[in-house]
Amino acid sequence: ESLESDLNLMWVRINVRERQAAKAPEKQEMKLCVLEATQLKQLRELIALRLVQEDAPISKRSRKRDSLSLQLVYNGQLLPSEDDEKPLSQMGVGDGSVFHCLASLASQLQQLSCFPQQCSVDGGRVVHVLGERFPDNDRSVCRFGRVITGATIEDDGTEGGISQLRCIAPPHPAGPVTISVSFDGGATWLEGPTFWYFDPTTCSGGYGVRVVADCAGALPLRTDPFRLSWDRSGRDPEGGAGCA
C-alpha cells in the first residue's frame, strides 16, 4: 500500500455491459490499477486491452470484423469526449471508484452512403450518413477530406437494420472529398462515399472548350468560347443539380 501511495496509484472497478439488440446484455467486471494522472482516453484503452486479454465475447467479435466503442459512466454521469484529456484525479476519481462501461460494436466492413452528396464551398449543409450498424455514443465524428466535424447518431440500426448519423458539412475548397466516420473520437476511421464541393461563382463563369462540330465529317473543331452555367432551376432549389 505504501508503494502504491508513493507512485500515486489507485484501484478502480469497471462494470462492463455489452449492448446487444437480440438478447440480454453480457456483463463483466474488472479491477484496474491506474495512476492518478491517467487520462480518461487512456482508461478506455486499458479497458479495451483487458477485454482482449480476458477473451471477452465482445472482443472476439471485435477482432474479426468490428471496432470496439466504449462509453463510460461515473457518478451517474455519461463522460463526454471533451473530458478525454483530463486526468482521472481532476474528475474526482479516487481509490475504489466504480465506473460503468457500455461496450458496443461498429462494423468496419459495412458500406456507407450519404445524402445529399454535394455542397457549396461555404459548407453549412446538413448531411446524413447511412450504414449497417453504428454505436450509439457521444464520441462520433465525421471527416470531410481532412476536416473533422461533430456528428450525432440519429438511429443506431437496432430496430430497422439501417443506422443513420447527422453532421454539418464544414467549409472546404471546391472538388471531391471522401467522407469518413469515427466512433471513438477520431482514433480509427471508416471511409465512406465521395462528397462534392462546388464553387457557385466559378461554376457560373465562361470557359473556352474545343469540341467536335460535326462527328460525321472531317472532324473540324470549334474553338470559340461558350459558357457553362450552374443549373439553379426549380429542379434543385438548394443549389445546383449540375451544369447546363
Side-chain angles (χ1 to χ4, degrees), residues 175-189:
V177 298
T178 298
I179 290 185
S180 304
V181 296
S182 173
F183 306 107
D184 51 17
T188 59
W189 292 94

Side-chain angles (χ1 to χ4, degrees), residues 16-209:
V16 182
R17 181 166 61 93
E18 179 179 351
R19 179 173 185 167
Q20 294 180 322
K23 58 182 180 180
E26 300 177 9
K27 298 181 180 179
Q28 182 174 350
E29 293 186 1
M30 63 179 69
K31 192 176 182 182
L32 298 175
C33 183
V34 298
L35 292 168
E36 293 180 357
T38 298
Q39 296 177 345
L40 182 60
K41 65 178 181 180
Q42 294 172 327
L43 179 62
R44 283 195 182 93
E45 294 171 356
L46 290 173
I47 295 172
L49 179 61
R50 178 65 69 85
L51 288 173
V52 172
Q53 291 175 339
E54 296 184 357
D55 215 24
I58 192 172
S59 70
K60 294 179 181 178
R61 291 190 292 279
S62 175
R63 289 198 299 269
K64 288 179 181 179
R65 61 164 292 177
D66 299 300
S67 64
L68 198 58
S69 175
L70 303 177
Q71 291 179 277
L72 294 177
V73 176
Y74 179 64
N75 280 343
Q77 299 292 324
L78 181 64
L79 301 179
S81 56
E82 289 78 7
D83 291 341
D84 276 359
E85 304 292 334
K86 288 185 178 180
L88 297 180
S89 58
Q90 290 186 9
M91 304 172 63
V93 178
D95 191 51
S97 293
V98 178
F99 286 85
H100 296 277
C101 177
L102 180 62
S104 56
L105 296 173
S107 172
Q108 291 294 322
L109 298 181
Q110 60 184 304
Q111 296 293 319
L112 300 181
S113 61
C114 73
F115 69 92
Q117 297 179 329
Q118 79 283 326
C119 177
S120 74
V121 293
D122 297 328
R125 194 171 190 183
V126 175
V127 178
H128 298 274
V129 180
L130 305 179
E132 298 171 10
R133 184 172 66 247
F134 296 162
D136 188 6
N137 63 34
D138 66 340
R139 307 185 72 239
S140 301
V141 291
C142 282
R143 185 175 64 186
F144 290 72
R146 295 184 178 181
V147 182
I148 298 176
T149 185
T152 303
I153 302 294
E154 294 185 324
D155 188 341
D156 62 5
T158 299
E159 296 182 0
I162 298 178
S163 297
Q164 177 172 300
L165 64 78
R166 177 184 186 274
C167 59
I168 305 295
H172 194 282
V177 298
T178 298
I179 290 185
S180 304
V181 296
S182 173
F183 306 107
D184 51 17
T188 59
W189 292 94
L190 176 61
E191 288 194 358
T194 298
F195 186 86
W196 286 84
Y197 279 93
F198 64 89
D199 186 342
T201 61
T202 301
C203 291
S204 297
Y207 298 88
V209 181

